[in-house]
Amino acid sequence: MIRLRYLGHNLEVPEGQFVIGRSSKCQLSVDDPLISRQHAALTVNGSAATVEDLGSRNGVLVNGQKIAGVQPLTDGDTITVGSQVMTIHGIAVAGAATRPRRPEMQTLQTASLFELQEDPTDDTSIRSSPIKSIQPDKRVNELSLVGAVAEKALAMGRAEDAQRLLERPLRDVLARARTKQPIEASVAQRAATLAVKLAGALQEGDWVDFAVELYTLRRELLPQPVVDELYTVLRKVRCDASLLREYLDTVKAGAGSFGPNERFQISRIEGLEPLVGLK
């Protein structure tokens, strides 16, 4: 598994290509005026990875040295994009190119993902050739990449920053569910958990509706951690009561095959209904 160590978190990097830049179309969107809209592309192939400068204004550094074109990466390399420094891990050592490392890390301070503002006038740094389109299943994997950073933003009270990071991958999960494409159970639970946390932080019921609709489409019981969070969130956030009722009708239709634990979970979800009208 290839990982980026960034802002104190180990972020899983999915197979294939993902782009780092200021544009919301990038898999990792970072507000930093030194970063171009489409700045750099990491490409992961098995246990190997490369980084490419996408014609950015300020370039890409690997171990403090500016790169040209596509640069193979080795385990532990540092990548500097704008003022953001990250370290890559999980690359196979066998057959990797050996390059001298800079003995001391450059003195550039790493700016917080949320402290720098985007410069909307920067159009000159857009890559001249279009980036390959990203498949929806890769954007679903983006949850594993940005989820931990978004949770850190929520813990810091920066709910809008967290929403900016999460909105696209969460919407992609729901779009896949609506078109009956397969979604791993762990991805669905992660999406619902993050959505409910966003609802509480922003006091916006739409994100509660997101979690309820997702599991209505899946025809599955909401996971216990999500239900626990909803008992707190619904005391201060209004959501769509009819959507919750539709969800309960859907899952109760299959309750005949449920065991004691599932029936208890249904009773807990039913207990959410009186909370919907509290606010």
Side-chain angles (χ1 to χ4, degrees):
M1 177 191 302
I2 305 294
R3 306 179 311 281
L4 277 178
R5 183 68 178 173
Y6 179 49
L7 296 181
H9 293 280
N10 287 313
L11 310 176
E12 181 181 346
V13 182
E15 187 88 5
Q17 185 189 67
F18 74 94
V19 178
I20 302 170
R22 289 190 297 111
S23 171
S24 61
K25 296 180 181 179
C26 297
Q27 279 90 340
L28 181 56
S29 179
V30 183
D31 284 340
D32 182 336
L34 299 181
I35 292 181
S36 299
R37 293 184 183 279
Q38 298 166 344
H39 195 111
L42 278 170
T43 301
V44 174
N45 183 11
S47 58
T50 61
V51 64
E52 178 184 3
D53 183 353
L54 300 179
S56 67
R57 180 179 58 186
N58 294 311
V60 176
L61 280 65
V62 174
N63 300 324
Q65 302 297 318
K66 183 174 285 190
I67 68 169
V70 178
Q71 173 72 58
L73 295 168
T74 60
D75 195 67
D77 280 348
T78 61
I79 303 168
T80 303
V81 180
S83 62
Q84 310 299 311
V85 181
M86 53 199 76
T87 308
I88 195 159
H89 297 285
I91 298 175
V93 175
T98 302
R99 301 190 309 280
R101 296 185 182 276
R102 192 169 180 171
E104 296 181 0
M105 175 67 85
Q106 58 184 4
T107 58
L108 180 66
Q109 285 188 338
T110 302
S112 167
L113 181 66
F114 313 107
E115 289 175 350
L116 298 173
Q117 299 299 316
E118 178 174 341
D119 176 10
T121 63
D122 176 20
D123 293 322
T124 60
S125 59
I126 299 177
R127 190 186 183 194
S128 57
S129 58
I131 293 175
K132 297 176 182 178
S133 60
I134 305 302
Q135 298 300 318
D137 59 333
K138 292 183 180 178
R139 289 201 295 267
V140 168
N141 288 335
E142 190 178 354
L143 278 177
S144 64
L145 183 67
V146 302
V149 179
E151 285 186 311
K152 181 176 180 180
L154 288 170
M156 296 168 63
R158 300 187 177 186
E160 292 183 358
D161 291 316
Q163 179 173 241
R164 177 183 56 78
L165 287 166
L166 292 171
E167 186 162 12
R168 182 180 61 190
L170 289 180
R171 298 300 184 193
D172 285 336
V173 170
L174 189 58
R176 287 174 64 83
R178 287 171 173 169
T179 55
K180 303 186 185 305
Q181 297 181 57
I183 302 171
E184 292 183 6
S186 60
V187 172
Q189 178 169 338
R190 180 71 163 149
T193 299
L194 290 168
V196 173
K197 287 183 177 181
L198 275 179
L202 295 165
Q203 297 197 17
E204 293 182 4
D206 287 348
W207 287 113
V208 173
D209 296 341
F210 169 97
V212 173
E213 181 182 353
L214 176 61
Y215 274 82
T216 301
L217 292 166
R218 291 177 66 81
R219 307 180 73 86
E220 293 177 356
L221 292 174
L222 285 160
Q224 180 178 336
V226 177
V227 176
D228 292 342
E229 189 76 20
L230 283 170
Y231 265 92
T232 298
V233 169
L234 287 178
R235 297 180 186 276
K236 55 184 178 180
V237 173
R238 184 181 296 278
C239 72
D240 188 336
S242 63
L243 192 61
L244 181 59
R245 170 43 52 187
E246 178 187 351
Y247 165 71
L248 280 166
D249 290 343
T250 299
V251 295
K252 287 171 71 174
S257 61
F258 289 166
N261 291 338
E262 289 84 0
R263 288 195 292 271
F264 174 73
Q265 188 72 348
I266 286 181
S267 69
R268 294 202 70 235
I269 297 170
E270 287 178 315
L272 295 171
E273 284 194 287
L275 300 178
V276 173
L278 284 180
K279 189 174 187 306

